[in-house]
Amino acid sequence: MSPHRTQRPWLGKVEKLQTPASVTFDPNCYLCPGNRRAGGAQTPQYAETYVFDNDYPAMLPDVAPLQFDQAGLLVGKSERGICRVMCFSPRHDLTVPRMNAREMRGVVDGWVEQYSALGQIPWIRHVQIFENRGEMMGASNPHPHCQIWANDSLPNLPSRELASFESYRAEKHSCLLCDYLQLELQLNERIVCQNEAFAVVVPFWAVWPFESLLLSKRHIASIDQLTGEERDLLTDILRRITIRYDNLFETAFPYSMGFHQKPTDGRDYEEWHLHAHYFPPLLRSAKIQKFMVGYELLSSPQRDLTPEAAANRLRDAGEIHYLDRS
Ligand SMILES: [Zn+2]
Ligand SMILES: [Zn+2]
Ligand SMILES: [Zn+2]
């Protein structure tokens, strides 16, 4: 932690402002209703959310099994998977923080549906729902959408989380994230916002300046275990944290976000606790990005902003979207 460093003069890269799309329909956008996609398929006239198999999937469901191990040094195996895209709205310009509760609830319901349907496929062991927002995070199209990648083995980060959930439970007979959330709620230094079912915290170990962790208050392992009321409360908290992000630098705040849920191989995973991560790249203005380079690539992450200060800034950012202020 080096909070004194934010004072240093900046001669580095300045990004262009992240401006939200300004048209509700873009004839050149392959995610807008009725338009033709590059692969030839046509996006239908959808009214709410729309899910389709990615025309350029990173993984394929029918790849031939392949495995090799050369001297224990070169180890590899083929990976089967299904990659989908989910448009949040037919409107080209309607991002999460600008959606109303009903529209956002439709997105939450779509996620539950996809997680359940993909998870029920016998060979699918993990379903990753994630959103890249903004060019800075590599989003290839500003039309609000997320991706869903489902595959037959547990990816690296969820594997590490599972190991931590397991070892904490074995040692303390309790849940790692239930205990962590309890502690954060007591300390109330890094909590950004909360409702009856969810809380958002800038985690103690945050690496990105305005990284946050969204936690369910109830110990559940996946979004399909949410009650109807809890889905509304998830809708509520997602809108509130993203409005705060947009307000922070009065920009369409870029981020990668995604849910971590229990693997879908049929086991209960009672140790797993539903949560989502937000990883935003911005550091001190809408144009200045945090780069993970040098010491961070070679040795260890380093922060210029304390997580407490980041939580404070996000708390002060308020929950009326800056574009709605008179
Ligand atoms: Zn569009
Ligand atoms: Zn828990
Ligand atoms: Zn996680």
Side-chain angles (χ1 to χ4, degrees):
M1 185 85 61
S2 333
H4 46 279
R5 289 192 82 210
T6 41
Q7 302 311 317
R8 74 191 188 279
W10 185 270
L11 296 172
K13 190 177 181 199
V14 175
E15 301 286 337
K16 68 175 178 8
L17 218 53
Q18 307 268 314
T19 40
S22 54
V23 291
T24 56
F25 175 82
D26 177 349
N28 297 313
C29 167
Y30 59 88
L31 300 178
C32 275
N35 288 346
R36 199 154 290 282
R37 304 207 293 270
Q42 187 168 24
T43 300
Q45 290 292 347
Y46 60 102
E48 288 170 338
T49 59
Y50 169 57
V51 180
F52 61 97
D53 283 337
N54 197 320
D55 298 318
Y56 301 96
M59 291 178 285
L60 299 164
D62 47 8
V63 69
L66 175 83
Q67 208 156 358
F68 62 81
D69 182 338
Q70 282 173 272
L73 291 170
L74 311 180
V75 180
K77 93 177 196 20
S78 58
E79 185 69 36
R80 282 200 292 172
I82 298 173
C83 298
R84 291 182 177 163
V85 176
M86 178 175 151
C87 299
F88 292 163
S89 157
R91 259 183 63 184
H92 186 72
D93 63 334
L94 193 61
T95 61
V96 170
R98 308 291 290 146
M99 288 184 146
N100 66 34
R102 188 191 54 77
E103 289 159 334
M104 192 58 212
R105 170 66 196 260
V107 173
V108 168
D109 289 343
W111 287 337
V112 173
E113 222 176 280
Q114 290 299 316
Y115 174 80
S116 312
L118 287 164
Q120 271 161 30
I121 298 174
W123 56 270
I124 296 281
R125 293 196 180 83
H126 184 258
V127 179
Q128 182 64 61
I129 298 170
F130 65 99
E131 179 193 5
N132 288 329
R133 184 183 188 212
E135 266 173 69
M136 216 184 263
M137 293 313 282
S140 55
N141 185 327
H143 195 117
H145 68 284
C146 72
Q147 300 192 52
I148 304 161
W149 292 17
N151 60 303
D152 74 355
S153 62
L154 199 54
N156 297 357
L157 295 179
S159 288
R160 282 172 59 185
E161 289 191 351
L162 179 60
S164 295
F165 280 132
E166 278 170 350
S167 64
Y168 189 91
R169 189 176 159 102
E171 195 187 323
K172 310 246 185 181
H173 307 288
S174 138
C175 164
L176 173 61
L177 285 184
C178 280
D179 288 1
Y180 176 64
L181 177 58
Q182 231 26 64
L183 189 61
E184 287 290 5
L185 289 171
Q186 259 168 38
L187 295 171
N188 201 23
E189 287 173 329
R190 284 174 292 270
I191 298 282
V192 175
C193 53
Q194 56 176 311
N195 60 27
E196 295 89 315
F198 294 92
V200 178
V201 59
V202 177
F204 180 73
W205 56 85
V207 163
W208 294 95
F210 292 98
E211 178 177 335
S212 69
L213 180 68
L214 190 167
L215 294 156
S216 65
K217 290 190 173 174
R218 193 158 70 85
H219 181 76
I220 49 173
S222 49
I223 46 176
D224 56 343
Q225 296 171 358
L226 295 171
T227 64
E229 194 187 341
E230 284 169 334
R231 289 191 199 187
D232 282 337
L233 289 162
L234 177 58
T235 299
D236 170 71
I237 205 82
L238 289 164
R239 291 175 64 230
R240 288 167 55 191
I241 183 61
T242 52
I243 288 173
R244 285 175 183 279
Y245 274 143
D246 274 15
N247 285 350
L248 197 59
F249 300 127
E250 301 204 340
T251 192
F253 197 82
Y255 57 72
S256 267
M257 74 82 67
F259 290 91
H260 277 156
Q261 312 187 62
K262 73 173 163 103
T264 56
D265 57 5
R267 243 189 67 194
D268 276 346
Y269 291 97
E270 274 182 22
E271 65 275 42
W272 196 278
H273 189 120
L274 170 67
H275 62 281
H277 299 272
Y278 281 90
F279 300 119
L282 292 179
L283 173 59
R284 52 168 140 174
S285 77
K287 297 178 179 179
I288 296 182
Q289 189 182 346
K290 160 87 178 168
F291 288 98
M292 291 284 183
V293 294
Y295 195 80
E296 281 137 337
L297 274 183
L298 290 156
S299 298
S300 173
Q302 170 265 325
R303 285 182 65 89
D304 295 341
L305 177 72
T306 64
E308 297 76 26
N312 246 327
R313 299 271 302 275
L314 284 167
R315 272 198 302 268
D316 289 347
E319 296 186 348
I320 295 171
H321 198 276
Y322 72 95
L323 293 174
D324 292 334
R325 287 183 204 141
S326 50

